Amino acid sequence: MSVVSSLDPARCAHWSAACAFSPFASAEYRAWIARESSSADAEREALRAALTAVPHPAGITFVVADDTHDRAVRATLSSLAAQVCLQFDVLLSCSPARQAAMSGVLALVPQSLKVRVIVATEDDVTVPALQQLALTHAGGEHVGLLSAGDQLAPTAVAALRMTLARWPETDIVYADEDWIAADGTRCRPRFKPGWDPEAQLGFDLLEGLCLFRRAEVLHSGGLRPEFGPAARYELGCRIGLPLPAWRVRHIPAVLCHRRIPLAPDSAATARAIEAYAAAARRAAQQVASMQSGTPVEVAPSVLAPVVNWVRRPLPQPAPRVSILVPTRDRADLLANCLNSLLRHTDYPDLEVVVLDNDSTEPQTHALFAQLRQDPRVRILKTPGAFNFSRINNLGARAATGAVLLFLNNDTEILDANWLKEMVAQAMRPDIGCVGAKLLYADGTVQHAGVILQPDRLAMHVSRTDDAMAPGADGRLAGARGYLAVTGACLAIRREVFQLLGGFDEKHLAIAFNDVDLCLKATDAGYRNVCTPFATLLHLESVSRGHDHANEEKQQRAARELGHITAKWPDRFAEDRFHNPNVRLDWYTGTQLAAYEARWQLAR
């Protein structure tokens, strides 16, 4: 019996995702490759020189399982033979019926590559079973599972070795990847973030080139056959999710070129993709449930079925939520915000605290009188010059909820379950701040997380993207981790907010107070997440105006920008959730950026 069918469900699913998630046109990516290639020779020489200073390199074993495609296996082995650094072992596993074929493949591979062949005891064996067989024979401290047909960049092993030498406590290392078309050209790059458990649960970060510490793999039981085509994904979740971020390193370089599956648009491919997606949902459900200690439901994302929507349960009874809404007049905005909030939010226990900052217009006070008739609403006076941080701190002290949700008055509810989704995330013990997907009136994205950049910018990811598209690398299709989320709609447990000291009303009265709060949360050991499964409309800055409206606002904005970047210079210099190969441009969207000496910076 054949080892496997010609269609690998995992490969088909990842190729399908690459087609949906990669925002880069073929011509743009080819130009980027040409720019990067111009420094390739110098990079290889630098790596060779640097490797001479690595004293006792950790052992690396690559496992390649035969998938019955001789050319694919040969391509992978040839790429290993072409490595700048040849300090690694290779195990090739196959069925008895394929042993002679593998001998023929090895005869065509350069003899500089030493390969040990591991033969199964029977022919009826799957690729995950062959990989597991080889894992039991591996001798390296770290092991990498390579899919037949995938090719490593010549500097891949050297970059891995440099990373392990610099951070010897590392348990997992992974890198960026792209795909090889039938004509040999490279396309569909996946530029990954630094380690993010939310992204891993949503859609596999560790596929492609990834090293695991062998002891962790064996101790955990290795690949589990009951997860079928998603066995490797389940292994990555099971090992990676419990680890602290500093034990998982990402190399922001395209070090793996993946083979596009045969017949990528066939009905058989569609069935293979669904088989992988179903198995991955089972894996994510089991691992997430074990991690949280409570049953977790996993469903396909509405924007990309291969992405997992991890639907976390609310505690029972559901905690009270205090929704804090600052306002100064603009009764039309506030009425629209609270009408949608109170009428369309499906949540059992909430209070709304309207933070009135010296409203004077008669229509506003008439609205207040109307709102007071709802027992869920209170009006709290917060007089004085507008100071967003101070106003919200006053509201937080007056609130009665276990969860605080800061909400701008220029927002509108679009989904009845939005608050359940945000509170379920906020109640996780390791989570600090929770953000939502916010849309402009035209249906494009205003906010789906905040990325910090070296030129002192706090950028909203996916800004102006189509809200119904999955976004670059699927960012809009599933929950993701970020250093910061916007305070226009931000949920946090009261106890965490108090621990962090609330918003900085002295130095950050208007801007960057949300970023500062989020960074304080990360310093305290919490993670911040943004969920696209809570979606609101946001008419950005309608009520207070923009910072460039007049000279006074410009000066205040400059002071606050100077304070936040001076306080957190390391976070603006390196945001691990942002891949430095990609440039976020305020006006022209996502673009590719040159990134030199990639091997020096694992993240």
Side-chain angles (χ1 to χ4, degrees):
M1 184 174 179
S2 174
V3 177
V4 289
S5 67
S6 61
L7 286 177
D8 176 358
R11 188 188 297 274
C12 290
H14 283 79
W15 166 244
S16 175
C19 293
F21 296 168
S22 181
F24 307 110
S26 297
E28 181 187 9
Y29 188 50
R30 286 196 298 271
W32 181 83
I33 291 172
R35 292 195 302 270
E36 294 293 292
S37 299
S38 64
S39 60
D41 290 341
E43 181 180 338
R44 293 180 192 184
E45 290 307 312
L47 275 169
R48 287 191 179 97
L51 284 168
T52 61
V54 176
H56 301 291
I60 295 175
T61 298
F62 288 107
V63 168
V64 183
D66 171 39
D67 70 347
T68 74
H69 295 96
D70 294 359
R71 292 178 60 186
V73 175
R74 187 167 68 247
T76 299
L77 296 179
S78 296
S79 76
L80 289 171
Q83 291 298 301
V84 168
C85 173
L86 289 172
Q87 293 177 319
F88 56 87
D89 301 317
V90 181
L91 294 180
L92 174 61
S93 54
C94 67
S95 67
R98 292 281 297 166
Q99 186 174 4
M102 291 300 95
S103 297
V105 167
L106 290 176
L108 300 174
V109 174
Q111 295 301 305
S112 58
L113 185 72
K114 304 302 181 183
V115 181
R116 180 184 173 193
V117 179
I118 308 296
V119 183
T121 58
E122 55 186 18
D123 288 329
D124 188 6
V125 60
T126 64
V127 166
L130 287 175
Q131 292 173 328
Q132 177 63 21
L133 172 65
L135 284 173
T136 62
H137 290 79
E141 185 177 347
H142 292 83
V143 293
L145 308 178
L146 299 181
S147 297
D150 293 348
Q151 302 176 39
L152 300 190
T155 56
V157 174
L160 293 171
R161 282 207 168 279
M162 292 299 298
T163 300
L164 294 174
R166 185 175 180 184
W167 293 284
E169 73 282 359
T170 298
D171 288 328
I172 298 177
V173 189
Y174 64 101
D176 298 339
E177 62 198 49
D178 61 12
W179 293 78
I180 307 172
D183 62 0
T185 59
R186 290 164 50 192
C187 61
R188 306 289 184 184
R190 185 182 185 190
F191 295 112
K192 304 175 184 179
W195 178 240
D196 176 12
E198 308 307 314
Q200 174 63 18
L201 277 175
F203 189 76
D204 197 358
L205 278 183
L206 305 181
E207 182 68 9
L209 176 59
C210 175
L211 291 186
F212 297 94
R213 190 179 295 274
R214 183 175 63 91
E216 291 289 334
V217 173
L218 297 179
H219 178 72
S220 70
L223 295 161
R224 295 181 174 172
E226 61 266 32
F227 292 103
R232 173 171 163 169
Y233 166 71
E234 190 273 340
L235 176 68
C237 290
R238 181 165 24 99
I239 294 177
L241 264 55
L243 293 175
W246 53 269
R247 289 175 62 182
V248 184
R249 296 289 174 179
H250 167 234
I251 302 175
V254 180
L255 299 180
C256 182
H257 315 302
R258 313 208 59 210
R259 174 170 60 95
I260 296 175
L262 299 176
D265 300 317
S266 69
T269 299
R271 291 192 296 271
I273 292 171
E274 176 50 37
Y276 173 82
R281 288 194 294 272
R282 293 197 309 273
Q285 188 273 335
Q286 182 175 107
V287 174
S289 297
M290 292 180 62
Q291 183 188 35
S292 65
T294 57
V296 170
E297 180 185 352
V298 177
S301 169
V302 294
L303 297 183
V306 296
V307 175
N308 296 323
W309 176 8
V310 182
R311 303 168 70 171
R312 300 182 183 275
L314 281 172
Q316 294 300 324
R320 166 167 281 203
V321 179
S322 295
I323 301 177
L324 308 177
V325 186
T327 194
R328 177 183 288 178
D329 291 316
R330 291 307 303 263
D332 55 335
L333 284 179
L334 183 63
N336 183 63
C337 172
L338 294 193
N339 283 338
S340 69
L341 170 61
L342 295 169
R343 293 180 182 179
H344 302 306
T345 299
D346 180 13
Y347 194 85
D349 188 4
L350 64 84
E351 69 168 352
V352 177
V353 184
V354 177
L355 307 175
D356 175 27
N357 183 225
D358 294 333
S359 295
T360 60
E361 297 175 354
Q363 56 267 44
T364 304
H365 289 283
L367 175 62
F368 287 167
Q370 177 185 343
L371 290 171
R372 286 189 181 99
Q373 298 177 26
D374 190 320
R376 297 172 293 177
V377 180
R378 285 191 287 147
I379 311 297
L380 179 68
K381 291 186 178 298
T382 56
F386 181 73
N387 181 319
F388 179 89
S389 295
R390 180 182 62 84
I391 290 169
N392 279 294
N393 286 342
L394 289 171
R397 287 195 285 271
T400 62
V403 175
L404 306 176
L405 191 134
F406 301 96
L407 186 68
N408 279 17
N409 67 348
D410 53 358
T411 55
E412 180 179 340
I413 305 307
L414 299 176
D415 173 17
N417 291 317
W418 72 282
L419 190 53
K420 289 181 178 178
E421 171 70 19
M422 295 190 72
V423 174
Q425 294 282 2
M427 291 303 293
R428 298 166 60 189
D430 60 331
I431 298 300
C433 301
V434 179
K437 182 168 75 173
L438 305 181
L439 309 182
Y440 289 115
D442 65 359
T444 59
V445 175
Q446 185 263 330
H447 167 271
V450 175
I451 290 291
L452 305 182
Q453 297 210 286
D455 45 359
R456 304 201 313 167
L457 287 176
M459 308 289 288
H460 287 192
V461 301
S462 302
R463 186 180 176 96
T464 72
D465 282 2
D466 181 358
M468 298 308 296
D473 198 35
R475 285 183 182 270
L476 299 180
R480 289 295 186 97
Y482 291 101
L483 283 185
V485 296
T486 181
C489 181
L490 185 153
I492 185 172
R493 297 195 306 282
R494 170 202 286 278
E495 61 182 358
V496 177
F497 187 76
Q498 292 173 338
L499 174 69
L500 301 179
F503 291 111
D504 183 350
E505 56 191 76
K506 180 179 179 180
H507 302 102
L508 301 170
I510 309 298
F512 300 111
N513 35 52
D514 47 6
V515 172
D516 181 66
L517 179 72
C518 291
L519 295 181
K520 288 191 293 186
T522 63
D523 256 19
Y526 296 99
R527 297 188 296 113
N528 305 316
V529 300
C530 185
T531 172
F533 306 115
T535 304
L536 293 81
L537 192 67
H538 183 208
L539 305 175
E540 183 185 26
S541 302
V542 166
S543 44
R544 74 171 179 87
H546 290 281
D547 288 337
H548 54 72
N550 57 51
E551 184 176 351
E552 180 182 354
K553 287 188 175 183
Q554 291 174 10
Q555 292 175 350
R556 188 268 308 154
R559 287 195 303 272
E560 293 179 336
L561 175 60
H563 176 81
I564 191 75
T565 52
K567 182 178 180 181
W568 305 102
D570 57 328
R571 311 301 167 85
F572 281 85
E574 182 186 337
D575 184 337
R576 68 185 180 88
F577 296 103
H578 174 60
N579 189 303
N581 287 300
V582 179
R583 179 167 63 87
L584 300 178
D585 188 283
W586 188 269
Y587 300 102
T588 58
T590 301
Q591 298 184 2
L592 289 170
Y595 183 55
E596 298 180 357
R598 294 178 301 275
W599 55 273
Q600 294 182 359
L601 180 62
R603 302 159 72 81

